[in-house]
Amino acid sequence: MNSSMVIYEDEFRQIADICERLRRDTSAKAVFLIDKDGQLILATGQYAHLDTTALASLTAGNIAATGGLADLIGEREFSILFHEGEHDSLHISLVASQVILVVMFGEETSVGLVRLRVRKVNEELTKIVQELMQKAKNPGADSPFAEISDEDIDILFS
Amino acid sequence: MSFINYASREISCKIVYYGPGLCGKTTNLQYIYAKTNPEAKGKMISLATETDRTLFFDFLPLALGQIRGLKTRFQLYTVPGQVFYDASRKLILKGVDGVVFVADSQIDRLEANIESLDNLRSNLFEQGYDLDKLPYVIQYNKRDLPNVASVEELSELLNPNRVPEFSAVAPMGQGVFDTLKAVAKQVLVELRKGG
């Protein structure tokens, strides 16, 4: 039950390329990929001034809350959320019902273009995410924690 | 559900503080935040009402260091304790790796503790978890107040399976880090088993 989401380097690179392409094609400021439990998978673009850990957690909370709302009215999920700000806006969408794609964009582009491009990359990302989920179900390698000792754990708290 | 990123050599685990309203869940996180080195913690987020009651969750990211070259992060969440926020509590339990139940030691909160613990068990069950199989510790908070039940009594009532338990006075920090360490250790031991 308590299975992990695992990201490997190959998939990470593929996902990073797709997100960077999306950012360029939409002239967005930044693109983030976040797992549904609130862990940041990757960020690309101008994000150095942002607290990305908080952004990831709040986005996941947001998706979880709107998912609850969807359920209330008999929908499986709301796959797209859009938050419009005075200068910057957020386009948030679900990929394979498992990870969250966030595009942060300003006045240089339009929500229409972002939505169009997001829809295109969603298929590519879905494929990779589904492969990752499959891998996580049938892990080939042992847990990287299999070798750790009680001492290793104690050192963390010393 | 822990999250392992081999590209950035990071592992993240989610710990949820659960308990009845005003038992001190947020205070636990505030103390941890105040006493942790700046480089080891992120910003603490509290989604609270104007009267400082937790509305959705509090969130505190901690980076404890490395184990065998993997950066180990813990994300601490609290749930809103008030009974009517049950829908929010369920959402926050999704993907949980470890649970801290913060009990209010005051005699007149005994019922509220039992109700909240039942609620925890049933909300976890709905998500497909069994509390008896999760990393789990109990904290008896507010030990400094005058009208408290004895630890033995609380333990009898709330801890039939004898999971690790700690007495605490959260605003003073008593028991706060012991509680966190105990649950974090259990989470890591669970990961060692292969998750």
Side-chain angles (χ1 to χ4, degrees):
Chain A
M1 175 63 233
N2 200 21
S3 65
S4 302
M5 171 130 192
V6 183
I7 304 278
Y8 300 93
E9 285 203 37
D10 280 353
E11 284 84 356
F12 183 85
R13 223 169 297 126
Q14 290 175 41
I15 291 171
D17 287 347
I18 293 170
C19 289
E20 178 52 24
R21 178 160 33 95
L22 171 67
R23 194 188 66 76
R24 269 186 294 148
D25 289 351
T26 54
S27 306
K29 291 187 171 171
V31 172
F32 307 92
L33 202 68
I34 296 160
D35 117 285
K36 247 182 148 181
D37 295 330
Q39 323 280 2
L40 181 73
I41 299 172
L42 70 85
T44 173
Q46 307 160 32
Y47 62 87
H49 62 297
L50 290 172
D51 181 343
T52 51
T53 310
L55 183 133
S57 159
L58 288 171
T59 303
N62 198 344
I63 280 284
T66 44
L69 279 175
D71 196 41
L72 274 182
I73 65 162
E75 282 291 326
R76 194 168 62 85
E77 65 189 16
F78 293 132
S79 54
I80 292 176
L81 309 179
F82 174 52
H83 300 308
E84 186 174 14
E86 200 178 332
H87 302 293
D88 290 334
S89 300
L90 293 175
H91 183 282
I92 302 173
S93 55
L94 271 171
V95 177
S97 299
Q98 196 57 44
V99 299
I100 307 165
L101 179 65
V102 181
V103 182
M104 185 177 89
F105 61 97
E107 289 147 317
E108 311 76 35
T109 187
S110 70
V111 62
L113 179 66
V114 171
R115 179 175 288 208
L116 183 75
R117 298 288 184 188
V118 163
R119 203 180 299 155
K120 280 193 170 173
V121 301
N122 199 304
E123 286 173 24
E124 289 177 67
L125 288 173
T126 297
K127 216 174 135 218
I128 300 170
V129 170
Q130 283 173 343
E131 281 169 14
L132 280 173
M133 297 312 291
Q134 201 55 41
K135 268 193 187 177
K137 270 188 210 160
N138 313 300
D142 287 337
S143 158
F145 275 74
E147 298 292 310
I148 63 167
S149 62
D150 287 345
E151 205 181 12
D152 287 331
I153 295 175
D154 284 333
I155 286 170
L156 269 190
F157 295 102
S158 59
Chain B
M1 190 172 85
S2 55
F3 173 85
I4 303 169
N5 189 337
Y6 284 107
S8 53
R9 310 271 318 148
E10 278 181 13
I11 179 147
S12 282
C13 308
K14 177 174 179 176
I15 292 172
V16 175
Y17 283 68
Y18 212 93
L22 295 174
C23 68
K25 301 175 287 295
T26 302
T27 312
N28 263 271
L29 259 63
Q30 284 169 337
Y31 187 84
I32 294 166
Y33 181 77
K35 295 293 175 188
T36 306
N37 292 333
E39 64 272 18
K41 68 186 176 192
K43 194 173 147 194
M44 178 165 167
I45 291 172
S46 287
L47 303 180
T49 66
E50 284 182 5
T51 51
D52 277 340
R53 301 299 301 272
T54 303
L55 177 63
F56 193 4
F57 58 78
D58 305 300
F59 168 68
L60 174 60
L62 290 180
L64 285 184
Q66 295 203 355
I67 290 188
R68 303 277 164 124
L70 278 175
K71 281 177 239 159
T72 309
R73 297 181 190 279
F74 284 93
Q75 309 215 320
L76 313 185
Y77 285 82
T78 68
V79 298
Q82 293 179 87
V83 175
F84 53 87
Y85 288 134
D86 200 37
S88 304
R89 277 194 292 277
K90 287 182 194 176
L91 297 177
I92 294 153
L93 283 175
K94 282 187 182 170
V96 67
D97 293 301
V99 178
V100 174
F101 184 80
V102 181
D104 187 329
S105 297
Q106 297 176 93
I107 289 167
D108 58 4
R109 297 297 285 162
L110 287 180
E111 275 299 312
N113 289 327
I114 295 168
E115 198 180 320
S116 177
L117 192 54
D118 284 347
N119 177 258
L120 167 64
R121 199 171 274 283
S122 66
N123 281 346
L124 282 171
F125 185 73
E126 262 184 50
Q127 315 271 352
Y129 295 101
D130 179 350
L131 181 59
D132 299 331
K133 292 183 181 146
L134 271 179
Y136 169 48
V137 303
I138 299 183
Q139 180 187 84
Y140 306 120
N141 195 20
K142 308 199 182 188
R143 296 309 302 165
D144 57 331
L145 295 187
N147 56 337
V148 294
S150 70
V151 169
E152 293 72 28
E153 201 178 339
L154 287 162
S155 186
E156 182 97 351
L157 209 58
L158 303 170
N159 192 9
N161 292 338
R162 295 287 171 260
V163 300
E165 54 187 14
F166 300 89
S167 295
V169 183
M172 305 296 140
Q174 188 192 315
V176 169
F177 275 98
D178 292 338
T179 308
L180 172 63
K181 281 178 194 175
V183 73
K185 213 167 168 176
Q186 279 189 41
V187 168
L188 293 172
V189 168
E190 199 59 34
L191 278 171
R192 181 166 61 183
K193 287 184 202 159

